Amino acid sequence: MFTLYQYLHCPYCVRTDMVANYSGLPHKKVLLLNDDEKTCVDLVGVKMVPILQTEDGHAMGESLDIVAKILSMAPPEKQLLPKTTADQITGFISQFSSAINHLLFPRNVMITQPEFETEGARAYFQKKKEKMLGVSFDDAFTSSDTNLKDVNTMLADMPQLPLPSARNNQLGWDDIYIFPTLRNLTMVKGLVWPAPVKLYVSEVAALCNIHLYDEQAV
C-alpha cells in the first residue's frame, strides 16, 4: 500500500488522486496542513505536494511522475487513454489563468478544507498567494464580478471536451491535464456552466471519486 500526501484544493494533487482512485489500488491519503513544511521536507527535501511514499519508505514528488508510478502498479484495464486534445484545451484555459486565480485563491480559505483548518495554515497560504496576485484576498474577492465575466466567457467558448461516457468510461491523459482546474472552479458561485462542460466535470468526478465544491461555492 502506498501513501499520498496532499491538499484537497491542489490541482496537482487532484491529478494523482484521480489516478489513485481510478486504479483501484489500495492506498492511504494524508491531508497535510498548508503550513506543514516539516513533513514535506522530511520526505522529499522541499515543501511540495503531492508526495507518494511507498511501503518501503521511498518518497517522491512531482505529480506526473507520481501518476506514472501509480500506473506502473495498476492493472492493464486501468491504464490511461493516450493524450489527444489536452494541449489545445489547457492552452485555451491558460489564457484566463489570472481571472481563475483571482477567483480561486481567496475562496480556497473561505470554504472548509482540511489543509486550512488552522489560522496559521490559512495565513501561510494567504501571504504566499496575495504576493502572487499582487492584491489582497479581500480586493480579489471584491473584484469577482470582473473575473466571473472572463471565466464565464472561457466556459462558454470551451473547446469540445472528451466525455468519459463517449469512450467506454475510461480515464485518459487528457483528463489528468484538463479536469483539475475545472473541478476547482466548482467552488465559485456565479459561474454559468454550459451543459457539456458541466457534464464533463460530473462524469470525470464520478469516474475518479473526486470531491466537487458545488455545495460549498461562494
Side-chain angles (χ1 to χ4, degrees), residues 56-70:
D56 63 6
H58 175 72
M60 61 185 294
E62 300 297 341
S63 63
L64 295 180
D65 291 341
I66 292 172
V67 167
K69 176 65 174 179
I70 296 171

Side-chain angles (χ1 to χ4, degrees), residues 33-36 115-126:
L33 286 170
N34 197 256
D35 60 344
D36 180 359
E115 57 263 44
F116 301 122
E117 284 184 349
T118 67
E119 183 177 346
R122 292 190 295 274
Y124 181 97
F125 178 84
Q126 184 167 344

